[in-house]
């Protein structure tokens, strides 16, 4: 029985999970804890505190043989500078200071891609059954703070996971309204191009709302207006409000027309990009919609516009109708992936 340490490390929170890997059977969780990343100067003191608490709570030896940390940031040669936190992590230093070896650092969305391999039936919602082909590629797409994309290729009994920067590809408008959104974002930010991540992400929800508001497509309600205004005034500093969540909630509850229009436009852009990804990889083994947004707006995704736009690719419609599409409901898919990756080290 081996002990493994898995972590999901972000600018806001750090989640650690201690798991045991039996010779036969599934990985089992022994202890898990969440920490505020900004309260610590580095990952090392968090891990030390976690392992001490785990030993106290479980009454067992909690020294892991291997560890994998999923990091919100680009990982190069097992070194990473976190995107929204003044931490620089290096696996060799972590191994020495924590006395755990090996330790691997992987991108957080690569961990999500590994994690889909460990999901159970209750962790998924089948949006489109398609016609699964077990030897075909798997594709993963996830809108949250940004827009992650990746894919998996079958290799014997295992899968190779490949990261992607597809979220930074160009946003491709499909309608007059989306062309106006594109011009709005170009002018607003004084930029030369707009990535799809600027539209299909949490920040994208806010950007779409601002566009529709500034173009007077619907009347702005006072409560959402206050939240968005506060967020706009806090530009460059730590945010005290989450407009994307407020807009999504208002749309789900059907109490704010501008928010409803915003989510409609967001979902269509999300479906279009999911279709683009599916055309590139033909993931007949499954297209997994991960990220923090999809499960929160699931009722809106089920209304049909996501799949309609997903398959609306002209002569390629019949191809996309055969792609199984799943919504990942488990918010800890990245931790699952980090644990699976650690098990392979």
């Amino acid at each position: 029985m081996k002990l493994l340490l898995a972590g999901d490390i972000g600018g806001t929170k750090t989640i650690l999970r201690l798991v045991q890997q039996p010779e036969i059977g599934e990985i089992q969780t022994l202890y898990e804890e969440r920490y505020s990343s900004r309260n610590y100067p580095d990952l090392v003191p968090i891990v030390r505190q976690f392992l001490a608490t785990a030993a106290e709570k479980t009454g067992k030896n909690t020294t892991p043989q291997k560890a994998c940390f999923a990091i919100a940031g680009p990982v190069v040669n097992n070194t990473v500078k976190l995107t929204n936190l003044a931490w620089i992590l290096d696996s060799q230093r972590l191994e020495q200071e924590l006395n755990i070896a090996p330790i691997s650092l992987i991108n957080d969305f690569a961990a999500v891609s590994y994690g889909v391999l460990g999901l159970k039936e209750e962790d998924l919602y089948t949006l489109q059954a398609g016609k699964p082909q077990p030897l075909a590629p798997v594709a993963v797409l996830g809108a949250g703070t940004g827009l992650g994309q990746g894919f998996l290729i079958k290799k014997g009994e295992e899968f190779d996971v490949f990261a992607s920067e597809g979220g930074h590809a160009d946003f491709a408008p499909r309608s007059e309204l989306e062309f106006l959104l594109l011009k709005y974002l170009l002018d607003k930010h004084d930029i030369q191009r707009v990535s799809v991540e600027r539209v299909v992400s949490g920040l994208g929800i806010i950007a779409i709302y601002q566009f529709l508001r500034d173009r007077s497509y619907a009347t702005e309600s006072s409560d959402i207006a206050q939240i968005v205004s506060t967020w706009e005034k806090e530009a460059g500093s730590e945010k005290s409000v989450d407009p994307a969540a407020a807009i999504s909630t208002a749309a789900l509850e059907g109490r704010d027309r501008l928010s409803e229009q915003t989510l409609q436009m967001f979902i269509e852009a999300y479906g279009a990009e999911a279709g683009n990804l599916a055309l590139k990889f033909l993931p007949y083994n499954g297209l997994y919609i991960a990220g923090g947004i999809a499960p929160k707006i699931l009722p809106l995704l089920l209304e049909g516009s996501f799949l309609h736009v997903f398959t609306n690719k002209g002569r390629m419609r019949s191809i996309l109708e055969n792609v199984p599409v799943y919504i990942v409901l488990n918010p800890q898919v990245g931790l699952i992936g980090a644990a699976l990756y650690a098990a392979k080290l």
Side-chain angles (χ1 to χ4, degrees):
M1 188 78 71
K2 294 181 180 178
L3 287 181
L4 312 173
L5 177 61
D8 188 354
I9 318 300
T12 302
K13 65 182 183 299
T14 289
I15 306 174
L16 298 178
R17 175 182 289 181
L18 187 67
V19 303
Q20 56 184 7
Q21 178 189 13
E23 294 295 330
I24 300 176
E26 297 181 353
I27 291 173
Q28 302 166 348
T29 299
L30 291 179
Y31 185 70
E32 182 179 316
E33 192 62 75
R34 178 187 300 248
Y35 302 87
S36 175
S37 302
R38 298 184 186 279
N39 291 341
Y40 297 84
D42 187 72
L43 179 59
V44 170
I46 298 181
V47 173
R48 287 174 176 165
Q49 180 179 332
F50 171 79
L51 294 177
T53 305
E56 180 183 338
K57 297 283 188 181
T58 64
K60 300 178 181 179
N61 172 32
T62 58
T63 303
Q65 285 97 331
K66 301 182 284 186
C68 175
F69 300 113
I71 312 293
V75 180
V76 179
N77 296 324
N78 258 334
T79 301
V80 60
K81 182 182 185 304
L82 269 73
T83 304
N84 297 310
L85 195 65
W87 290 4
I88 298 177
L89 303 179
D90 175 86
S91 61
Q92 186 173 9
R93 174 179 70 85
L94 293 174
E95 288 174 354
Q96 293 173 348
E97 295 188 23
L98 293 172
N99 196 28
I100 302 171
I103 291 178
S104 185
L105 307 178
I106 63 175
N107 175 263
D108 56 347
F109 205 78
V112 169
S113 298
Y114 280 107
V116 301
L117 301 175
L119 295 176
K120 300 178 181 179
E121 186 176 347
E122 59 266 27
D123 295 325
L124 298 169
Y125 184 93
T126 301
L127 196 61
Q128 176 171 277
K131 295 181 179 179
Q133 297 180 18
L135 298 181
V138 173
V140 187
L141 175 73
T145 304
L147 179 64
Q149 297 187 6
F151 63 100
L152 300 86
I153 302 294
K154 195 76 180 282
K155 186 178 181 182
E157 295 301 314
E158 303 290 331
F159 280 89
D160 283 340
V161 172
F162 297 90
S164 161
E165 292 297 337
H168 296 285
D170 296 336
F171 168 59
R174 303 166 301 108
S175 65
E176 181 179 358
L177 188 61
E178 287 188 349
F179 274 104
L180 291 173
L181 171 64
L182 174 64
K183 186 177 186 310
Y184 172 85
L185 292 172
L186 290 170
D187 294 342
K188 180 181 178 68
H189 299 288
D190 191 23
I191 51 179
Q192 300 301 310
R193 61 180 292 273
V194 173
S195 70
V196 65
E197 184 177 81
R198 280 192 182 268
V199 178
V200 184
S201 64
L203 289 177
I205 290 175
I206 303 170
I208 294 169
Y209 180 92
Q210 292 171 318
F211 160 69
L212 293 174
R213 176 200 64 189
D214 294 349
R215 295 297 184 268
S216 301
Y217 279 92
T219 303
E220 190 176 23
S221 65
S222 59
D223 58 334
I224 303 297
Q226 180 61 48
I227 294 170
V228 173
S229 176
T230 299
W231 183 87
E232 290 171 336
K233 291 175 182 176
E234 292 175 341
S237 61
E238 189 171 348
K239 306 296 186 181
S240 63
V241 293
D242 185 352
I247 293 165
S248 300
T249 299
L252 282 165
E253 295 174 355
R255 58 178 172 82
D256 179 64
R257 181 58 184 153
L258 187 54
S259 295
E260 291 178 65
Q261 285 186 313
T262 297
L263 263 294
Q264 181 65 31
M265 199 169 178
F266 169 80
I267 287 169
E268 290 182 3
Y270 204 168
E273 181 60 18
N276 291 339
L277 186 67
L279 285 175
K280 292 168 185 173
F281 294 111
L282 300 181
Y284 294 123
N285 205 358
L287 171 66
Y288 291 80
I289 309 297
I293 295 176
K296 295 175 182 175
I297 63 169
L298 184 59
L300 298 178
L301 293 175
L302 299 182
E303 290 181 354
S305 60
F306 182 94
L307 272 183
H308 171 74
V309 176
F310 173 77
T311 57
N312 189 22
K313 301 293 185 185
R315 291 170 293 171
M316 298 294 104
R317 174 183 291 275
S318 60
I319 289 177
L320 293 183
E321 288 175 341
N322 290 331
V323 174
V325 181
Y326 307 106
I327 305 296
V328 176
L329 304 176
N330 191 328
Q332 296 186 325
V333 59
L335 266 180
I336 294 172
L340 291 174
Y341 191 89
K344 293 183 179 182
L345 292 174

